[in-house]
Amino acid sequence: MDDSLIKYDSGTGLPDELLTLKQWLAEGRKVALATVVQTWGSSPRSTGSHLVIDDQTNFVGSVSGGCIEGAVVSEALEVIDQGQPKLLEFGVSNEEAWEVGLTCGGAIQIYVEPVV
Amino acid sequence: MKQTILARIFEDRENKHPVALVTRIDDGVQALVYKDQPVFGELSLSSGEQSRVKNMLHSGRSGKLPESGDAVFVRSYVPPYRLVIVGAVHIAQKLAPIAKEVGYQVTVVDPRRAFATQERFHGVDLICDWPDEVLEKLQLDSQTAVVTLTHDPKIDDPAIIESLKSNAFYIGCLGSTRTHAKRIERLSEAGFADSLQRICAPVGLDLGGRSPAEVAVATLAQIIQSRYAR
């Protein structure tokens, strides 16, 4: 991931990820936006945090401390492909989450939508 | 998300309008809700729903819309917190970029032309003028932090007075304990004795560092602490 793609603009107050999203769209990439919609217990990223993903698995931002980004990116590829949004849930009671390692003991709901 | 929605969010933020993106999770249909502008987008919201969204937007909160049965999500995009740095000095050169990185909108003010140069402050709002006039125009509010760094009472004091008159959530002033004692005397005489406890001086958390960059980190840390201690 080339750092130069990450633009900072505190002047607008928008998360850096949205600025990258705009740039990727301008480049003609297919893009999905993931957003934390709810958290339970200890979760590293707060509600509203964004992860932006393109169809080449490039991503910026975060929805956890790095534990579940891999899983969200692969779900995002499907969202981009099918053009339909998806609600994902990760938690300690969720076996898949255990595999991808949400070790903080919290649970998290993430909404992934295509940007069209 | 449709690109028309995204474009509109960018437009709103350019104009510093707080905006809430409202999403029906089931099918992804969305609308933008404003404090005092009509709703934009395909998702229709009852007046009750709209006012609950506006409540969340007002306090900058994101999350599931109350009473929506987990069906609707609200993402509030609100203008950033601001940091006004008085004194385009070496510490300011270190403080401005890291504060920007943390998400503050940074403005540096200094009436001295030799200090207030774009070359020294690349990519930061820079105003070469007297701080009392500038700070009044900037309309300091409860989402603004002010740091004075010049050591010169002619520049710092008017800025501090303007800050004390405002609801700025943080006021930090560079200078030793002795310098601050003299400052307290002057500001007391000027009639601000009752609000002087708002001033953080010597500026910054006591991390022990002395270099400009270390003082900048300590100052930003104290600003973050003040913001969340409220």
Side-chain angles (χ1 to χ4, degrees), chain A residues 8-16 18-19 21-22 25 33 35-38 40 47-50 84-85 87 109 111 113-116, chain B residues 1-3 6 9-10 13-14 16 21 23-28 30 62-64 70 73 75 77-80 100-101 103-106:
Chain A
Y8 297 97
D9 185 0
S10 72
T12 65
L14 281 176
D16 305 330
L18 288 194
L19 300 168
L21 171 58
K22 191 183 176 190
L25 286 169
L33 174 66
T35 307
V36 176
V37 297
Q38 200 165 357
W40 295 265
T47 306
S49 301
H50 290 308
Q84 292 299 321
L87 189 65
Q109 221 175 44
Y111 183 69
E113 60 191 311
V115 182
V116 291
Chain B
M1 179 190 278
K2 298 213 160 122
Q3 293 201 35
L6 187 69
I9 292 173
F10 274 94
R13 303 304 297 111
E14 284 298 318
K16 305 209 188 307
L21 171 65
T23 306
R24 189 162 64 203
I25 291 171
D26 238 12
D27 55 8
Q30 293 175 319
S62 298
K64 300 266 179 71
D70 276 5
F73 174 68
R75 175 63 165 91
Y77 296 106
V78 295
K100 208 174 156 183
E101 190 81 357
Y104 288 81
Q105 185 189 346
V106 180

Coordinates of all heavy atoms in Angstrom, one line a residue, chain A residues 8-16 18-19 21-22 25 33 35-38 40 47-50 84-85 87 109 111 113-116, chain B residues 1-3 6 9-10 13-14 16 21 23-28 30 62-64 70 73 75 77-80 100-101 103-106:
Chain A
Y8 N -4.3 13.7 3.9 CA -4.8 14.2 5.2 C -5.4 15.6 4.9 O -4.8 16.4 4.1 CB -3.7 14.3 6.2 CG -3.2 13.0 6.6 CD1 -2.1 12.4 6.0 CD2 -3.9 12.2 7.5 CE1 -1.6 11.2 6.3 CE2 -3.4 10.9 7.8 CZ -2.3 10.4 7.2 OH -1.9 9.2 7.5
D9 N -6.5 15.9 5.5 CA -7.1 17.2 5.3 C -7.9 17.6 6.5 O -9.1 17.3 6.5 CB -8.0 17.2 4.0 CG -8.5 18.6 3.7 OD1 -8.2 19.5 4.5 OD2 -9.2 18.7 2.8
S10 N -7.2 18.1 7.5 CA -7.9 18.4 8.8 C -8.9 19.5 8.5 O -9.8 19.8 9.3 CB -7.0 18.7 9.9 OG -6.3 19.9 9.7
G11 N -8.7 20.3 7.4 CA -9.5 21.4 7.1 C -11.0 21.0 7.0 O -11.9 21.8 7.3
T12 N -11.3 19.9 6.4 CA -12.7 19.5 6.2 C -13.2 18.6 7.3 O -14.4 18.4 7.4 CB -12.8 18.7 4.9 OG1 -12.1 17.5 5.0 CG2 -12.3 19.5 3.7
G13 N -12.3 18.1 8.1 CA -12.7 17.3 9.2 C -13.3 15.9 8.8 O -13.7 15.2 9.7
L14 N -13.2 15.6 7.5 CA -13.7 14.3 7.1 C -12.6 13.2 7.4 O -11.4 13.6 7.3 CB -14.0 14.2 5.6 CG -15.3 14.8 5.2 CD1 -15.4 14.8 3.7 CD2 -16.5 14.1 5.8
P15 N -13.0 12.0 7.8 CA -12.0 11.0 8.0 C -11.1 10.8 6.8 O -11.6 10.9 5.6 CB -12.8 9.7 8.3 CG -14.1 10.2 8.6 CD -14.3 11.5 7.9
D16 N -9.8 10.6 6.9 CA -8.9 10.5 5.8 C -9.4 9.4 4.8 O -9.2 9.5 3.6 CB -7.5 10.1 6.3 CG -7.0 11.0 7.4 OD1 -7.3 12.2 7.3 OD2 -6.2 10.6 8.2
L18 N -12.3 8.7 3.8 CA -13.3 9.2 2.8 C -12.6 9.9 1.7 O -13.0 9.9 0.6 CB -14.4 10.0 3.5 CG -15.4 9.3 4.3 CD1 -16.6 10.2 4.6 CD2 -15.9 8.0 3.7
L19 N -11.5 10.6 2.1 CA -10.7 11.3 1.0 C -10.1 10.3 0.1 O -10.1 10.6 -1.1 CB -9.7 12.2 1.7 CG -10.3 13.3 2.6 CD1 -9.1 13.9 3.5 CD2 -11.0 14.3 1.9
L21 N -11.3 7.4 -0.5 CA -12.4 6.8 -1.2 C -12.7 7.6 -2.5 O -12.9 7.1 -3.6 CB -13.7 6.7 -0.3 CG -15.0 6.4 -0.9 CD1 -15.0 5.0 -1.6 CD2 -16.1 6.3 0.2
K22 N -12.8 9.0 -2.3 CA -13.1 9.9 -3.3 C -12.0 9.8 -4.4 O -12.3 9.7 -5.6 CB -13.1 11.3 -2.8 CG -13.7 12.3 -3.7 CD -13.6 13.7 -3.0 CE -14.0 14.8 -3.9 NZ -13.7 16.1 -3.4
L25 N -12.3 6.5 -6.4 CA -13.4 6.5 -7.3 C -13.1 7.3 -8.6 O -13.4 7.0 -9.7 CB -14.7 7.2 -6.7 CG -15.4 6.3 -5.7 CD1 -16.4 7.1 -4.9 CD2 -16.1 5.1 -6.3
L33 N -17.3 0.6 1.1 CA -17.1 1.3 2.4 C -17.6 0.5 3.5 O -18.8 0.1 3.5 CB -17.8 2.7 2.3 CG -17.8 3.5 3.6 CD1 -16.4 4.0 3.9 CD2 -18.8 4.7 3.4
T35 N -18.3 0.3 7.7 CA -18.4 1.2 8.8 C -18.8 0.4 10.1 O -19.7 -0.5 10.0 CB -19.6 2.2 8.5 OG1 -19.3 2.8 7.2 CG2 -19.7 3.3 9.6
V36 N -18.2 0.8 11.2 CA -18.6 0.2 12.5 C -20.0 0.7 12.9 O -20.1 1.9 13.0 CB -17.6 0.5 13.6 CG1 -18.0 -0.1 14.9 CG2 -16.2 -0.1 13.2
V37 N -21.0 -0.1 13.0 CA -22.3 0.4 13.3 C -22.7 0.1 14.8 O -23.5 0.8 15.4 CB -23.4 -0.1 12.4 CG1 -23.2 0.3 11.0 CG2 -23.6 -1.6 12.5
Q38 N -22.0 -0.9 15.4 CA -22.3 -1.1 16.8 C -21.1 -1.9 17.4 O -20.5 -2.7 16.8 CB -23.6 -1.8 17.0 CG -24.1 -1.7 18.4 CD -25.6 -2.1 18.6 OE1 -26.3 -2.4 17.6 NE2 -26.1 -2.0 19.8
W40 N -19.8 -3.9 21.3 CA -20.2 -4.3 22.6 C -18.9 -4.6 23.3 O -17.9 -5.2 22.7 CB -21.0 -5.6 22.6 CG -22.4 -5.5 22.0 CD1 -23.5 -5.2 22.6 CD2 -22.7 -5.5 20.6 NE1 -24.6 -5.2 21.7 CE2 -24.1 -5.3 20.5 CE3 -22.0 -5.7 19.4 CZ2 -24.8 -5.4 19.2 CZ3 -22.6 -5.8 18.2 CH2 -24.0 -5.6 18.1
T47 N -17.8 3.5 17.1 CA -18.9 3.5 16.1 C -18.7 4.6 15.1 O -18.3 5.7 15.4 CB -20.2 3.7 16.8 OG1 -20.4 2.8 17.8 CG2 -21.4 3.6 15.9
G48 N -18.9 4.3 13.8 CA -18.7 5.2 12.7 C -17.3 5.1 12.1 O -17.1 5.8 11.0
S49 N -16.4 4.4 12.6 CA -15.0 4.2 12.0 C -15.2 3.5 10.7 O -16.0 2.7 10.5 CB -14.1 3.4 12.9 OG -14.0 4.0 14.2
H50 N -14.3 4.0 9.7 CA -14.4 3.5 8.4 C -13.2 2.7 7.9 O -12.1 3.0 8.3 CB -14.5 4.7 7.4 CG -15.8 5.4 7.5 ND1 -17.1 4.8 7.4 CD2 -16.1 6.8 7.6 CE1 -18.0 5.7 7.5 NE2 -17.4 6.9 7.6
Q84 N -24.5 -5.4 -3.5 CA -25.5 -5.4 -2.4 C -24.7 -5.2 -1.1 O -23.7 -5.8 -0.8 CB -26.2 -6.7 -2.3 CG -27.2 -7.0 -3.5 CD -28.2 -5.9 -3.7 OE1 -28.8 -5.4 -2.7 NE2 -28.5 -5.5 -4.9
P85 N -25.3 -4.4 -0.2 CA -24.7 -4.2 1.1 C -24.8 -5.4 2.0 O -25.7 -6.3 1.7 CB -25.5 -3.0 1.7 CG -26.8 -3.0 1.0 CD -26.6 -3.6 -0.3
L87 N -24.3 -6.8 6.3 CA -24.1 -6.6 7.7 C -23.2 -7.7 8.3 O -23.7 -8.9 8.2 CB -25.4 -6.4 8.5 CG -25.2 -5.9 9.9 CD1 -24.7 -4.5 10.0 CD2 -26.6 -5.9 10.6
Q109 N -20.3 -5.0 15.1 CA -21.1 -5.1 13.9 C -20.6 -4.1 12.8 O -20.4 -3.0 13.2 CB -22.6 -4.8 14.3 CG -23.6 -5.7 13.7 CD -25.0 -5.4 14.2 OE1 -25.4 -4.2 14.3 NE2 -25.7 -6.4 14.5
Y111 N -21.1 -2.7 8.8 CA -21.9 -2.6 7.6 C -21.0 -2.3 6.4 O -20.1 -1.4 6.5 CB -22.9 -1.4 7.8 CG -23.8 -1.2 6.7 CD1 -24.8 -2.1 6.4 CD2 -23.7 -0.1 5.8 CE1 -25.7 -1.9 5.4 CE2 -24.6 0.1 4.8 CZ -25.6 -0.8 4.6 OH -26.5 -0.6 3.5
E113 N -20.9 -1.6 2.4 CA -21.7 -1.2 1.2 C -20.9 -0.9 0.0 O -19.8 -0.3 0.1 CB -22.6 0.1 1.6 CG -21.7 1.3 2.0 CD -22.6 2.4 2.6 OE1 -23.6 2.7 2.1 OE2 -22.1 2.9 3.7
P114 N -21.4 -1.2 -1.2 CA -20.7 -0.8 -2.4 C -20.9 0.7 -2.6 O -21.9 1.3 -2.2 CB -21.4 -1.6 -3.5 CG -22.8 -1.8 -2.9 CD -22.7 -1.8 -1.4
V115 N -20.0 1.4 -3.2 CA -20.2 2.8 -3.6 C -20.3 2.9 -5.1 O -19.4 2.5 -5.9 CB -19.0 3.7 -3.2 CG1 -19.2 5.1 -3.5 CG2 -18.7 3.5 -1.7
V116 N -21.5 3.2 -5.5 CA -21.8 3.1 -7.0 C -22.2 4.5 -7.6 O -22.6 5.4 -6.9 CB -23.0 2.1 -7.2 CG1 -22.5 0.7 -6.9 CG2 -24.2 2.4 -6.4
Chain B
M1 N -23.8 3.0 -1.1 CA -23.8 4.4 -1.1 C -23.7 4.9 -2.6 O -22.8 4.5 -3.3 CB -22.6 5.0 -0.3 CG -22.6 6.5 -0.3 SD -21.1 7.1 0.4 CE -21.4 7.1 2.2
K2 N -24.5 5.9 -2.9 CA -24.4 6.5 -4.2 C -23.4 7.6 -4.2 O -23.3 8.3 -3.2 CB -25.8 7.1 -4.6 CG -26.9 6.0 -4.7 CD -27.9 6.3 -5.7 CE -28.6 5.1 -6.2 NZ -30.1 5.1 -6.0
Q3 N -22.8 7.8 -5.3 CA -21.7 8.9 -5.4 C -22.3 10.3 -5.3 O -21.6 11.2 -4.8 CB -21.0 8.7 -6.7 CG -20.1 7.5 -6.8 CD -19.0 7.6 -7.8 OE1 -18.5 8.6 -8.0 NE2 -18.7 6.4 -8.5
L6 N -22.1 10.9 -1.6 CA -20.7 11.1 -1.2 C -20.3 12.5 -1.6 O -19.7 13.3 -0.8 CB -19.8 10.1 -1.8 CG -18.4 10.1 -1.4 CD1 -18.2 9.7 0.1 CD2 -17.5 9.3 -2.3
I9 N -21.8 15.0 0.7 CA -21.1 15.0 2.0 C -19.8 15.9 2.0 O -19.5 16.7 2.8 CB -20.7 13.6 2.5 CG1 -22.0 12.8 2.8 CG2 -19.8 13.6 3.8 CD1 -21.8 11.4 3.2
F10 N -19.1 15.7 0.8 CA -17.9 16.5 0.7 C -18.2 18.0 0.6 O -17.5 18.9 1.1 CB -17.1 16.1 -0.6 CG -16.2 15.0 -0.2 CD1 -16.6 13.6 -0.4 CD2 -14.9 15.2 0.3 CE1 -15.7 12.6 -0.1 CE2 -14.0 14.2 0.6 CZ -14.5 12.8 0.4
R13 N -19.0 19.4 4.0 CA -17.9 19.6 4.8 C -17.0 20.8 4.4 O -16.5 21.5 5.2 CB -17.0 18.3 4.9 CG -17.9 17.1 5.4 CD -18.5 17.4 6.7 NE -17.5 17.6 7.7 CZ -17.3 18.7 8.4 NH1 -18.1 19.7 8.1 NH2 -16.4 18.8 9.2
E14 N -17.0 21.1 3.1 CA -16.3 22.3 2.6 C -16.9 23.5 3.2 O -16.3 24.4 3.6 CB -16.4 22.4 1.1 CG -15.5 21.4 0.3 CD -14.0 21.7 0.6 OE1 -13.6 22.9 0.6 OE2 -13.2 20.8 0.7
K16 N -18.6 23.5 6.0 CA -18.6 23.3 7.4 C -20.0 23.1 7.9 O -20.4 23.6 9.0 CB -17.9 24.5 8.2 CG -16.5 24.7 7.7 CD -15.6 25.2 8.8 CE -14.2 25.7 8.3 NZ -13.5 24.6 7.6
L21 N -25.4 11.0 7.8 CA -25.7 10.1 6.8 C -26.6 9.0 7.5 O -26.2 8.3 8.4 CB -24.4 9.5 6.3 CG -24.6 8.3 5.3 CD1 -25.3 8.7 4.0 CD2 -23.2 7.7 5.0
T23 N -28.7 5.5 7.1 CA -28.8 4.3 6.2 C -29.8 3.3 6.7 O -29.7 2.9 7.9 CB -27.4 3.6 6.2 OG1 -26.4 4.6 5.8 CG2 -27.4 2.4 5.2
R24 N -30.7 2.8 5.9 CA -31.5 1.7 6.2 C -30.7 0.4 5.9 O -30.3 0.2 4.8 CB -32.8 1.7 5.4 CG -33.8 0.7 5.9 CD -35.2 1.0 5.4 NE -35.3 0.9 3.9 CZ -36.2 1.5 3.2 NH1 -37.1 2.3 3.8 NH2 -36.2 1.4 1.9
I25 N -30.4 -0.3 7.0 CA -29.4 -1.4 6.9 C -29.8 -2.5 5.9 O -29.0 -3.0 5.2 CB -29.0 -1.9 8.3 CG1 -28.3 -0.9 9.1 CG2 -28.2 -3.2 8.2 CD1 -28.1 -1.2 10.5
D26 N -31.1 -2.8 5.9 CA -31.6 -3.8 5.1 C -31.3 -3.7 3.6 O -30.8 -4.7 3.0 CB -33.2 -3.7 5.2 CG -33.7 -5.0 5.7 OD1 -32.9 -5.9 6.2 OD2 -35.0 -5.2 5.6
D27 N -31.5 -2.6 3.0 CA -31.3 -2.4 1.6 C -30.3 -1.3 1.2 O -30.1 -1.1 0.0 CB -32.7 -2.2 0.9 CG -33.4 -1.0 1.5 OD1 -32.8 -0.3 2.3 OD2 -34.6 -0.8 1.1
G28 N -29.8 -0.6 2.2 CA -28.8 0.4 1.9 C -29.3 1.7 1.4 O -28.5 2.6 1.0
Q30 N -30.4 5.4 1.5 CA -29.8 6.5 2.4 C -30.4 7.9 2.2 O -31.0 8.2 1.2 CB -28.3 6.5 2.1 CG -27.6 5.3 2.5 CD -26.1 5.3 2.2 OE1 -25.8 5.7 1.1 NE2 -25.3 4.8 3.1
S62 N -22.6 8.9 16.5 CA -23.0 7.9 15.4 C -23.5 6.7 16.1 O -23.1 6.4 17.2 CB -21.8 7.6 14.5 OG -21.3 8.7 13.9
G63 N -24.4 5.9 15.4 CA -24.9 4.7 16.0 C -26.2 4.3 15.4 O -26.8 5.0 14.5
K64 N -26.8 3.3 16.0 CA -28.2 2.9 15.5 C -29.1 3.9 16.0 O -29.0 4.5 17.1 CB -28.5 1.5 16.2 CG -27.6 0.4 15.8 CD -28.1 -0.4 14.7 CE -27.2 -1.6 14.3 NZ -27.2 -2.7 15.3
D70 N -33.1 -1.4 15.4 CA -31.8 -1.8 14.8 C -31.8 -1.7 13.3 O -30.9 -2.3 12.7 CB -31.4 -3.2 15.3 CG -30.7 -3.1 16.6 OD1 -30.6 -2.0 17.2 OD2 -30.2 -4.2 17.1
F73 N -29.1 3.1 10.7 CA -27.8 3.6 11.2 C -27.5 5.0 10.9 O -27.8 5.5 9.8 CB -26.7 2.7 10.7 CG -25.3 3.1 11.1 CD1 -24.9 3.0 12.4 CD2 -24.4 3.7 10.1 CE1 -23.6 3.5 12.8 CE2 -23.2 4.1 10.5 CZ -22.8 4.0 11.8
R75 N -24.6 8.1 10.8 CA -23.2 8.4 10.9 C -23.1 10.0 10.8 O -23.4 10.6 9.8 CB -22.4 7.8 9.7 CG -20.9 8.3 9.7 CD -20.1 7.8 10.9 NE -18.7 7.9 10.7 CZ -17.9 8.9 11.0 NH1 -18.5 10.0 11.5 NH2 -16.6 8.9 10.9
Y77 N -21.2 13.4 10.6 CA -20.0 14.1 10.2 C -20.1 15.5 10.7 O -20.9 16.3 10.2 CB -19.8 14.0 8.7 CG -19.7 12.6 8.2 CD1 -20.7 12.0 7.5 CD2 -18.5 11.9 8.4 CE1 -20.6 10.7 7.0 CE2 -18.4 10.6 7.9 CZ -19.4 10.0 7.2 OH -19.3 8.8 6.7
V78 N -19.2 15.9 11.7 CA -19.3 17.2 12.3 C -18.0 17.9 12.1 O -16.9 17.2 11.9 CB -19.6 17.2 13.8 CG1 -21.0 16.6 14.0 CG2 -18.7 16.3 14.5
P79 N -18.0 19.3 12.1 CA -16.7 20.0 11.8 C -15.7 19.6 12.9 O -16.0 19.2 14.0 CB -17.1 21.4 12.0 CG -18.5 21.5 11.7 CD -19.1 20.2 12.2
P80 N -14.4 19.6 12.5 CA -13.3 19.2 13.4 C -13.1 20.1 14.6 O -13.5 21.3 14.5 CB -12.1 19.2 12.6 CG -12.4 20.2 11.5 CD -13.8 20.1 11.3
K100 N -2.7 18.4 13.6 CA -3.4 18.1 12.3 C -3.6 16.6 12.1 O -4.7 16.2 11.8 CB -2.6 18.7 11.2 CG -3.4 19.1 10.0 CD -2.6 19.8 8.9 CE -3.2 19.7 7.6 NZ -2.5 20.2 6.5
E101 N -2.6 15.9 12.4 CA -2.7 14.4 12.3 C -3.7 13.8 13.2 O -4.4 12.9 12.9 CB -1.3 13.8 12.6 CG -1.1 12.4 12.3 CD -0.8 12.1 10.8 OE1 -0.8 13.1 10.0 OE2 -0.6 11.0 10.4
G103 N -6.4 15.3 14.0 CA -7.7 15.6 13.6 C -8.1 17.0 13.8 O -9.3 17.4 13.6
Y104 N -7.2 17.9 14.4 CA -7.6 19.2 14.7 C -7.4 20.1 13.4 O -6.5 19.9 12.6 CB -6.7 19.8 15.8 CG -7.1 19.2 17.2 CD1 -6.6 18.0 17.6 CD2 -8.0 19.9 18.0 CE1 -7.0 17.5 18.8 CE2 -8.4 19.4 19.2 CZ -7.9 18.2 19.6 OH -8.3 17.6 20.8
Q105 N -8.3 21.1 13.3 CA -8.0 22.1 12.3 C -7.2 23.2 12.9 O -7.5 23.8 13.9 CB -9.4 22.7 11.8 CG -9.2 23.7 10.7 CD -10.5 24.4 10.4 OE1 -11.6 24.1 10.9 NE2 -10.4 25.5 9.7
V106 N -6.0 23.4 12.4 CA -5.0 24.2 13.0 C -4.8 25.6 12.4 O -4.8 25.7 11.1 CB -3.6 23.5 13.0 CG1 -2.5 24.3 13.7 CG2 -3.7 22.1 13.6

